[in-house]
Amino acid sequence: MTSSPRVLNNALFNLLGGVAPALVTIFTIPYVVHQLGDASYGVLTLVTSIIGYFALLDINVTAGSVKFVAEHHAKQDHARVCQTITFGLWVYLAIGIVGMLGIWALAHVMVTSLFNIPEQLHAISLQALRWAAIGFLVGQLQAYLQSVPQALQRYDVSGRIEAIFGTLVPILTVGLLACGWGLVEVVVLRVAASALHCLSLAWAIRRLLPSFYFASPEADVRRGILSFSAFSFLSRIAALSYAHADKLLIGALMGMEQVTYFAVASTLANRVMSLTGRLSGVIFPVASALAATKEMTRLEEIYLQSSRYVFFINGAAVLLLACFSFPILHFWMGARFAEQGALIMAVIALSQLIDSMTNIPSLVNDGLGHPRVSGLFAVTRALIGLGMLYLGVELSGSVGAAWAHFWASALMTALFVFYVHGKTVPVSLGHVMDVAYSRPAAILALTGAMAWSLSGPAIGTIWVLVLAVAITCVVLCVAGFLWVLYPGHRQLMTTRLRQLMTS
């Protein structure tokens, strides 16, 4: 049976798997931007976005594989576990090869004609994109292998490996640039690290499943995975199309320097929110396993607790980013980036908070076998969002792109949570609002007003910023402990703190 401590441990390991890489990346970005230059860093961002778009080839067999590995493992059906994993590997190897060949073939056209890349950067941009094509193949295998320990609810394994490689890559990137290397070598480093990451994951999976063997998947196994993944694929298409559209539109309409300003401003918000999003990710295999064993009461309990805690944590992170966006960017990247990106960072952070309210409902919806619903909503959201993004960039540049994200998030989140609760998610929206959202929202609103009053012109040094952020964090922690934690969890935490203090 899936227990709350196990869910919490998996959530924490999944979070920790991204914390160290995110911190190292954030601290190294100023140096990387300075060494590469605004235009070259914009090219690096553009290459990453192009690779992200080619991931549309991924039919999202990962989602189906995680669901059915979790179900078969819960039922102790080892043969089906092996068949599911084998099928997933075949699919992602094929996707990787097709994508690699496509990126390689189109690289010259994209560099010279499609995007507004300075002519003096054409040669190295072409080399970087072709190396990234190889990285696409390796990255597809890495993404699938990463999902296998997670399907087995062993986020401690996937988290540790991800933390190691995610931390090494930005550190080694700084080393390369310090030695005089440039954009192409940075991309080659990422490809090599991804290959080693794959080997580490394969070794870990062998230890988790010592009796694993490559097994030809039976027809019903293939049908089950592909049927589930077909609708999950809609969600993936929508997410990938929308995730990179802002930078590609800015790159096509405004140039590489504006891509850099937008990317840097949005990177911090995206990184922080992707970390808190990891707390939600563990719910998918949990929902699949509990559905397989018919423990729906247990699922509802975990759903409400997770929604309450994750919403408060996400809200706290966004509050800090939005209220202190200007001084954070000023001391992190300099006055120029603060002037260009403070509003962008604040608006993107708020958009991410609104989007995060769909994470757990969507994961439970999919875990209970209704990917069609989340897929159709995701496609609708992407189409509306893409239209808003184009208008936003045309009318107001990168700031317009940020506001387009905000309004698209607000509209589609409201529609999604209203539709799924009580239908595909077995909890009423009124109950969720009362138990999960009302009290955290009130605390966040009051603390946000206080933080906004601290974030004015008085923040003239980094130490004043640190003090203001620290005060806000203390208020959030105390309020969260007293009024957000469930009584049983508060008592458990108090007991453990006493034990630590007396040991």
Side-chain angles (χ1 to χ4, degrees):
M1 184 177 76
T2 305
S3 63
S4 291
R6 185 176 182 183
V7 174
L8 177 59
N9 287 337
N10 278 328
L12 291 176
F13 275 117
N14 200 31
L15 173 63
L16 293 174
V19 166
L23 289 175
V24 174
T25 298
I26 287 168
F27 281 115
T28 56
I29 280 177
Y31 182 82
V32 173
V33 173
H34 176 74
Q35 290 297 107
L36 288 177
D38 290 355
S40 290
Y41 188 82
V43 171
L44 180 61
T45 301
L46 197 64
V47 167
T48 303
S49 297
I50 291 168
I51 299 304
Y53 254 92
F54 269 82
L56 291 173
L57 293 169
D58 178 1
I59 59 175
N60 208 24
V61 167
T62 297
S65 182
V66 169
K67 174 176 173 57
F68 289 109
V69 167
E71 285 188 6
H72 297 323
H73 191 255
K75 296 177 180 178
Q76 299 183 349
D77 189 343
H78 183 65
R80 293 297 179 95
V81 170
C82 293
Q83 291 177 36
T84 302
I85 294 173
T86 302
F87 183 64
L89 286 171
W90 288 356
V91 169
Y92 280 91
L93 179 61
I95 290 170
I97 291 172
V98 171
M100 177 183 67
L101 295 176
I103 295 167
W104 191 284
L106 295 173
H108 187 269
V109 173
M110 288 189 286
V111 167
T112 58
S113 303
L114 187 56
F115 295 105
N116 188 12
I117 298 175
E119 187 173 352
Q120 65 270 24
L121 295 177
H122 281 184
I124 63 170
S125 298
L126 183 60
Q127 292 180 55
L129 191 52
R130 285 181 170 165
W131 273 106
I134 300 171
F136 178 84
L137 167 60
V138 183
Q140 290 298 300
L141 293 174
Q142 177 192 322
Y144 182 75
L145 292 170
Q146 182 83 7
S147 74
V148 175
Q150 295 173 352
L152 300 172
Q153 298 188 49
R154 290 300 305 272
Y155 285 83
D156 55 327
V157 173
S158 60
R160 287 190 184 103
I161 295 174
E162 187 176 7
I164 291 169
F165 283 95
T167 302
L168 282 175
V169 169
I171 292 174
L172 292 175
T173 298
V174 168
L176 278 179
L177 296 175
C179 292
W181 300 103
L183 174 64
V184 175
E185 289 76 20
V186 169
V187 176
V188 172
L189 169 66
R190 293 184 177 186
V191 176
S194 186
L196 290 175
H197 197 156
C198 284
L199 293 175
S200 300
L201 286 167
W203 176 80
I205 292 168
R206 173 59 69 180
R207 289 177 62 87
L208 291 174
L209 296 171
S211 57
F212 171 79
Y213 57 93
F214 289 99
S216 180
E218 297 176 6
D220 63 327
V221 172
R222 297 195 303 270
R223 280 197 303 270
I225 296 172
L226 292 175
S227 176
F228 182 90
S229 299
F231 289 108
S232 294
F233 181 42
L234 294 177
S235 298
R236 183 170 180 80
I237 289 176
L240 288 172
S241 299
Y242 190 61
H244 301 286
D246 46 17
K247 292 177 282 292
L248 294 180
L249 282 170
I250 294 170
L253 299 176
M254 302 183 67
M256 292 302 104
E257 290 190 1
Q258 287 300 316
V259 172
T260 296
Y261 292 137
F262 183 88
V264 169
S266 61
T267 288
L268 189 56
N270 290 334
R271 280 281 179 173
V272 171
M273 293 305 292
S274 69
L275 288 177
T276 59
R278 287 169 170 266
L279 296 172
S280 307
V282 302
I283 297 297
F284 181 40
V286 170
S288 299
L290 290 176
T293 54
K294 310 298 184 185
E295 298 179 73
M296 303 309 291
T297 301
R298 186 68 182 140
L299 176 59
E300 179 179 347
E301 179 185 351
I302 290 174
Y303 179 81
L304 291 171
Q305 292 177 0
S306 302
S307 297
R308 180 168 175 163
Y309 293 158
V310 169
F311 177 69
F312 182 72
I313 292 169
N314 286 341
V318 165
L319 186 154
L320 294 171
L321 290 171
C323 290
F324 299 105
S325 60
F326 188 91
I328 287 173
L329 278 175
H330 178 81
F331 294 117
W332 179 41
M333 295 297 301
R336 181 163 48 106
F337 280 88
E339 292 169 2
Q340 295 280 342
L343 180 58
I344 293 171
M345 190 171 91
V347 174
I348 291 291
L350 291 170
S351 305
Q352 293 269 14
L353 175 61
I354 296 170
D355 272 337
S356 72
M357 295 175 68
T358 68
N359 289 349
I360 294 179
S362 179
L363 292 166
V364 171
N365 171 84
D366 290 358
L368 294 179
H370 305 289
R372 179 174 179 272
V373 173
S374 54
L376 292 175
F377 265 97
V379 169
T380 304
R381 189 229 191 281
L383 292 174
I384 291 174
L386 288 171
M388 289 184 173
L389 275 174
Y390 181 80
L391 289 175
V393 174
E394 278 279 19
L395 296 174
S396 302
S398 52
V399 174
W403 279 112
H405 280 301
F406 177 84
W407 290 114
S409 297
L411 173 63
M412 293 309 300
T413 295
L415 292 175
F416 181 77
V417 298
F418 178 79
Y419 181 83
V420 298
H421 285 98
K423 295 182 178 66
T424 61
V425 176
V427 188
S428 71
L429 179 58
H431 192 39
V432 175
M433 295 296 293
D434 180 48
V435 173
Y437 295 142
S438 59
R439 187 177 296 183
I443 293 170
L444 290 168
L446 292 173
T447 311
M450 181 207 73
W452 185 258
S453 69
L454 295 175
S455 64
I459 299 183
T461 69
I462 192 169
W463 299 114
V464 176
L465 172 62
V466 169
L467 179 61
V469 170
I471 291 171
T472 306
C473 288
V474 169
V475 172
L476 287 168
C477 289
V478 171
F481 180 81
L482 293 177
W483 295 299
V484 176
L485 279 179
Y486 282 80
H489 294 164
R490 185 163 58 246
Q491 183 178 359
L492 178 62
M493 183 176 288
T494 302
T495 301
R496 290 187 175 178
L497 287 173
R498 287 174 180 169
Q499 290 173 346
L500 288 173
M501 293 175 66
T502 56
S503 61

